[in-house]
Amino acid sequence: MNTEWSALKTKLDSYQSVYDAPISSLAEVNTIPDAPICGGGKVTVAVDGTHREVNYHLSKSDFWHVMLHPGRLFDGFSISPAPLCRLALTVNNADGKADHGRHVQDMAVAEIRSVLPLEGGTLEVRCTALAQRGLVIYELEARGATASLSAAIEAESEHNNFYICKGKQDEETVWLRKEHQQLFAVNAAVAMRPLGATNVRSLHEQGGAAALSFDVPAGQTVRLLLSVAGGKEEFHHLEEALAGLEMDGQDARPTGEGDAIDEMLNEHADWWQAFWLKSWLDL
């Protein structure tokens, strides 16, 4: 670590934001929220919820919607960013005696780290929206006890402007499509798959949910991948989101996927180091 980066990282570390109480819902928030956030240019994540139910709200820089405004002579319209979806993470064996978890927003590496109390242990979550990529990586580490989790991709049709469809690719992979067709097409898809988890099963048969249940064994780390694709006049968004779950053209589930993900996480850290070194001035 060079001297300049060491000094700058010390400053950035002093600006970490800590949230150690339940975070109010962000569902109706249209400005920068008072909540942990992270992003990498393509996808932004903001967190709300409790230690039992944590919501990771995703937005995409090129995902918008058109609002029509009828007029006396001519109809008008406006274009604005639209929420994409949220990852609803439910800790089925959360500690019933606890009333909150802990979230830390780390500006230096653009990630959110959380500690959620379990019955007999803790679940540590590291959320990273990779710089300049449509991929969010959740590293889930169970300490002291196995964590029983459910993860669902959920979305709303704001102003009835969107078509939403959910499905499953296989028992370990589910997806959601969110599509808009007003004046022009804006389409996006999100696909999800855990790596290294046990007892993985799709919950799609239960009401058509884009959801999975799985366990994180005590003392082990599971990676939950969330791949995002799409944008204006994009029509292969689902195929691209599913392809984003594969590493170097190979299915991410066999052994060896860790190296590809580790490489992407290292590239993410290097990108943010270069960003901060070009973006600060000490007076």
Side-chain angles (χ1 to χ4, degrees):
M1 183 181 294
N2 63 55
T3 303
E4 185 180 14
W5 172 240
S6 179
L8 176 54
K9 189 172 185 307
T10 298
K11 291 180 180 291
L12 292 170
D13 288 344
S14 69
Y15 298 142
Q16 290 183 0
S17 300
V18 178
Y19 298 80
D20 55 6
I23 302 171
S24 300
S25 173
L26 303 178
E28 302 299 327
V29 175
N30 297 313
T31 60
I32 297 175
D34 181 12
I37 59 175
C38 69
K42 287 193 173 183
V43 178
T44 301
V45 180
V47 176
D48 72 15
T50 66
H51 69 289
R52 184 181 299 275
E53 296 179 344
V54 185
N55 296 305
Y56 295 86
H57 298 263
L58 274 67
S59 59
K60 194 173 187 295
S61 56
D62 55 354
F63 190 69
W64 324 305
H65 64 154
V66 176
M67 292 291 295
L68 299 179
H69 306 292
R72 290 186 177 182
L73 298 177
F74 302 100
D75 291 342
F77 67 91
S78 60
I79 301 174
S80 60
L84 178 55
C85 67
R86 65 185 176 275
L87 173 68
L89 183 68
T90 301
V91 184
N92 299 314
N93 61 330
D95 186 350
K97 297 180 180 179
D99 59 2
H100 62 81
R102 178 182 174 87
H103 308 279
V104 177
Q105 174 186 313
D106 191 332
M107 293 176 57
V109 288
E111 67 184 27
I112 301 168
R113 296 187 298 273
S114 306
V115 179
L116 308 175
L118 303 173
E119 295 176 352
T122 58
L123 175 68
E124 297 186 5
V125 184
R126 176 190 177 198
C127 170
T128 307
L130 293 180
Q132 306 304 309
R133 291 179 182 265
L135 187 66
V136 184
I137 299 175
Y138 299 86
E139 294 185 288
L140 311 166
E141 183 179 0
R143 295 178 176 269
T146 293
S148 172
L149 306 177
S150 300
I153 311 171
E154 301 176 346
E156 307 297 334
S157 178
E158 291 79 16
H159 307 287
N160 294 318
N161 261 346
F162 293 92
Y163 168 77
I164 297 172
C165 181
K166 302 175 184 179
K168 75 171 185 177
Q169 187 74 1
D170 53 49
E171 278 303 309
E172 297 183 349
T173 309
V174 295
W175 51 262
L176 178 144
R177 289 165 36 206
K178 186 171 182 178
E179 300 167 349
H180 177 71
Q181 305 286 337
Q182 283 272 29
L183 299 183
F184 52 81
V186 181
N187 303 319
V190 182
M192 175 173 63
R193 175 186 297 161
L195 304 177
T198 58
N199 299 322
V200 183
R201 65 186 183 93
S202 165
L203 303 179
H204 181 67
E205 288 74 13
Q206 301 179 13
L212 300 169
S213 67
F214 58 92
D215 292 341
V216 181
Q220 297 187 28
T221 298
V222 166
R223 282 167 165 166
L224 182 65
L225 305 185
L226 212 63
S227 174
V228 181
K232 183 181 178 183
E233 303 298 338
E234 291 279 357
F235 300 99
H236 301 286
H237 42 296
L238 179 56
E239 295 91 335
E240 293 173 2
L242 290 168
L245 297 176
E246 301 178 4
M247 306 293 133
D248 299 326
Q250 301 297 318
D251 192 310
R253 283 168 291 192
T255 57
E257 80 279 351
D259 292 340
I261 296 175
D262 288 341
E263 183 176 345
M264 288 191 290
L265 289 169
N266 289 335
E267 290 175 355
H268 170 85
D270 291 342
W271 190 93
W272 277 103
Q273 178 176 327
F275 172 87
W276 287 117
L277 287 172
K278 294 178 180 179
S279 306
W280 77 297
L281 179 64
D282 194 4
L283 299 177

